[in-house]
Amino acid sequence: SQTIHQWPATLVQPVGSPLSLECTVEGTSNPNLYWYRQAAGRGLQLLFYSVGIGQISSEVPQNLSASRPQDRQFILSSKKLLLSDSGFYLCAWSPGLAGVSNEQFFGPGTRLTVL
Amino acid sequence: SQKIEQNSEALNIQEGKTATLTCNYTNYSPAYLQWYRQDPGRGPVFLLLIRENEKEKRKERLKVTFDTTLKQSLFHITASQPADSATYLCAPRFNDYKLSFGAGTTVTVRA
């Protein structure tokens, strides 16, 4: 069966510090991968998605970046965090083949607080 | 750009009653629409998917309808239980690979 991992679970970082959040998926190949952010009491905002290694699409221009160095690994980064980067970060995957159920499977999330 | 609106942020109902949640969207219709459940501090969990050519979908005590004329989906929880208390997210798919999520409706079922 498929499993999605995210770490760390919680993170407290000072403004201006770098960020690296990692997400890995097990039990599937060539998944579509997604990074979302959820601010307190708000909906999910799609930040990046990837349909393959090295293929990243950005939805919202900001100081974050994403990379997909391996098929089942998705990394969210920042060189300098802002206060507004605080939130709940969720990684998700969906089957990569068109026509297959496109439901998304979410990881446990990372709670990021920028002070 | 597309706008997704879910009815009132919070819905409080008595155990055993039916909860009805609304999801409205603007502009063109999505190829399909999904509903997710999210518990506090957790990632969303997929519940149901309904395609644009389907009028209704059921899964146990859950029912989803899709009206492309009204640009609306309704999500019903029948015979509600306290364990159904959660936030429910509507997610239409307008473009390849991507879902657009509504802000969610928080349902609280009182025993």
Side-chain angles (χ1 to χ4, degrees), chain B residues 23-107:
Chain B
C23 175
N24 294 295
Y25 56 90
T26 59
N27 301 337
Y28 55 92
S29 284
Y32 57 76
L33 190 146
Q34 300 181 18
W35 284 88
Y36 288 77
R37 168 184 172 139
Q38 186 175 24
D39 291 289
R42 310 286 291 271
V45 175
F46 171 80
L47 295 175
L48 281 166
L49 178 154
I50 187 165
R51 301 186 186 282
E52 61 179 336
N53 60 349
E54 297 175 317
K55 294 295 183 187
E56 182 180 297
K57 208 75 169 285
R58 290 177 184 262
K59 178 182 176 182
E60 298 174 352
R61 294 183 294 107
L62 307 178
K63 185 178 83 170
V64 173
T65 62
F66 195 7
D67 189 324
T68 55
T69 302
L70 293 178
K71 297 187 178 179
Q72 181 181 80
S73 175
L74 297 179
F75 178 84
H76 305 271
I77 307 172
T78 58
S80 60
Q81 304 168 1
D84 295 326
S85 299
T87 296
Y88 293 86
L89 306 172
C90 152
R93 178 184 137 170
F94 296 108
N95 299 304
D96 286 344
Y97 310 114
K98 297 184 294 182
L99 295 176
S100 300
F101 282 85
T105 299
T106 298
V107 174

Side-chain angles (χ1 to χ4, degrees), chain A residues 11-94:
Chain A
L11 193 58
V12 180
Q13 292 285 91
V15 169
S17 63
L19 173 74
S20 180
L21 302 180
E22 189 162 341
C23 171
T24 59
V25 181
E26 296 177 354
T28 188
S29 295
N30 197 31
N32 299 322
L33 296 172
Y34 311 83
W35 277 113
Y36 291 89
R37 178 170 60 201
Q38 188 174 36
R42 306 286 294 276
L44 275 69
Q45 179 187 32
L46 180 63
L47 302 175
F48 301 94
Y49 71 95
S50 170
V51 300
I53 295 174
Q55 301 178 61
I56 309 293
S57 295
S58 173
E59 288 296 298
V60 183
Q62 51 202 315
N63 68 319
L64 300 173
S65 62
S67 62
R68 184 171 177 173
Q70 300 180 43
D71 181 45
R72 289 169 289 178
Q73 183 185 28
F74 206 22
I75 298 171
L76 183 70
S77 304
S78 174
K79 292 182 179 178
K80 286 187 178 182
L81 284 169
L82 307 172
L83 285 174
S84 57
D85 291 324
S86 294
F88 190 43
Y89 287 81
L90 288 157
C91 180
W93 75 273
S94 67

